[in-house]
Every structure is written in C-alpha cells, then in structure tokens.
Amino acid sequence: MNDSPVRADRWIRWTTTASVVLLAAIAAIVSYRHMHELALRHGESELGAVLAPLAVDGMIVASSMSILLASRYGRRGGVLPWGLLIAGSLASLGANIAVADPTMIARIIAAWPSFALIGAYEMLMVQIRQGHAVRELVNEPTNGSGVNESIADAEGKCRDLRREAWQWALANRCPDGGLPSGRTIAVRFSRSARWGRWIKNAGLAGELE
C-alpha cells in the first residue's frame, strides 16, 4: 500500500512544529533580554534580573501545560491556569513595552517578541492537542507488513467509529428517554469525556447520520 500521504503529512507536521519552535526560541531570547534590561533599570540585583524574566515567561509555559493536561482529560483547565496565562502574557507584553523608547514604533517593535513568543507557544500547544485528538479517535492503523495505512483509510475508520458510538447512544437511552452523557459514551468506547461530548453534540446536530 502506498504510504506517501502519511509521509507527506508527517513531513508537514514536523516542519510546522520545527518552525514554531524556532520562532518561539528567537522570540524568547529577545523578550528575555528586554525584561532583563528593565529589571536592571529599576534597581533589581543581577540575580534578580536574571530570574525575573524566567518567572514571567515560565508562568506562561506552566499555565499552558496545565491547560493542555486538563484538555487531555476532557476538562477546560479551570480559572487558575487561564488566569495565570493571561496575567503572564500581559506582564510579558508590558515589560517589553516598558523598555522601549516612548514612541509608537519603538513600542510595537519591543512588544513583538513577547507577542510572537505567546503566539508560537500557543500554536505549539494546539498542534499537540490536535495530534492527541487524532490518536485518540483511532489508534494508528497498520497493514500486515507493519506499514501505516493511508490517511483516507484512517479517516474512514474515524467516521465509522463515530457513527457506531452515536448509534450506541441512540440504542441505550436513559430511563427518562434522554441520551447517555458524553462521559458514558466515552467510557463505552474507551475514549476521553471530550470525545464523548463531541459525539453527542455532533449526533444531535445531525452530523453522524
């Protein structure tokens, strides 16, 4: 079986991830220098100036990872991680702007590395979440020789599994006539609660007929 679509898909995902990581690394270095300079300007010790930028951008990384972990279990992440993510992002942007000359162009240039870092890191998190969702819907299929099946075949199995889950939900209504919860559907098919909720919502919307 021709596995060139799988190889092409992997190449695109790899190059995209590498580009995002490179962008994040460049933006992080420039943003770090801005915040380090700002800390020194305002009387912080050398050690404090070294650690302060790590605390700011580290908050963004830690809160994003917490939200990612929650999403893998079908949860939204909670108020605290989202609040820390917003606070860290605003602090990073504010610190980069504060170090710039008091002109609009200078402030835009100074703020851009922080903005790029936040955006690149969030894009990376989205890619991780999407990759996890694809693996969750269907285990990576292989043929008898151990070669990956085509993307079209995998997508077909995804659709079949979704329809099967929806038909099961229709056939196993609650005593009051309501549909099983998303979590119940997920447990029946060994998937996450988020997947089960998606099945239920998509079925009710007529997308799985």
Side-chain angles (χ1 to χ4, degrees):
M1 184 178 293
N2 183 9
D3 63 334
S4 57
V6 175
R7 292 180 179 177
D9 180 67
R10 286 181 173 176
W11 170 252
I12 292 173
R13 285 189 283 114
W14 187 90
T15 53
T16 301
T17 301
S19 300
V20 172
V21 171
L22 178 61
L23 171 61
I26 295 172
I29 293 172
V30 178
S31 178
Y32 179 91
R33 291 185 60 188
H34 285 169
M35 286 190 281
H36 180 265
E37 179 183 345
L38 181 65
L40 290 177
R41 283 186 187 179
H42 289 269
E44 189 62 63
S45 66
E46 182 61 37
L47 179 60
V50 169
L51 297 178
L54 298 178
V56 174
D57 288 336
M59 181 182 293
I60 298 173
V61 174
S63 55
S64 294
M65 292 301 296
S66 178
I67 294 170
L68 173 62
L69 180 61
S71 71
R72 292 172 73 92
Y73 289 95
R75 299 193 298 268
R76 294 181 180 275
V79 175
L80 180 59
W82 281 106
L84 292 178
L85 176 61
I86 294 172
S89 300
L90 292 176
S92 180
L93 283 170
N96 278 270
I97 292 173
V99 79
D101 291 335
T103 65
M104 180 63 68
I105 295 178
R107 287 171 177 169
I108 292 175
I109 293 174
W112 191 258
S114 179
F115 177 76
L117 174 61
I118 296 167
Y121 192 78
E122 287 307 306
M123 283 192 292
L124 184 60
M125 292 298 100
V126 168
Q127 290 184 28
I128 295 174
R129 285 192 289 265
Q130 290 176 341
H132 173 71
V134 170
R135 290 191 299 271
E136 189 178 63
L137 288 174
V138 171
N139 292 329
E140 189 176 17
T142 59
N143 59 25
S145 62
V147 179
N148 291 332
E149 294 182 1
S150 67
I151 294 176
D153 290 340
E155 290 178 346
K157 289 187 176 182
C158 284
R159 288 191 295 270
D160 291 343
L161 182 61
R162 295 167 187 168
R163 293 193 184 101
E164 180 184 350
W166 174 239
Q167 292 302 319
W168 180 88
L170 292 175
N172 292 271
R173 290 179 177 272
C174 300
D176 61 359
L179 291 171
S181 67
R183 184 174 295 278
T184 301
I185 299 172
V187 170
R188 172 63 179 78
F189 290 88
S190 301
R191 306 293 172 179
S192 74
R194 182 178 61 179
W195 186 86
R197 289 195 298 270
W198 185 93
I199 293 295
K200 187 173 181 179
N201 293 334
L204 291 172
E207 299 176 8
L208 300 176
E209 298 297 334

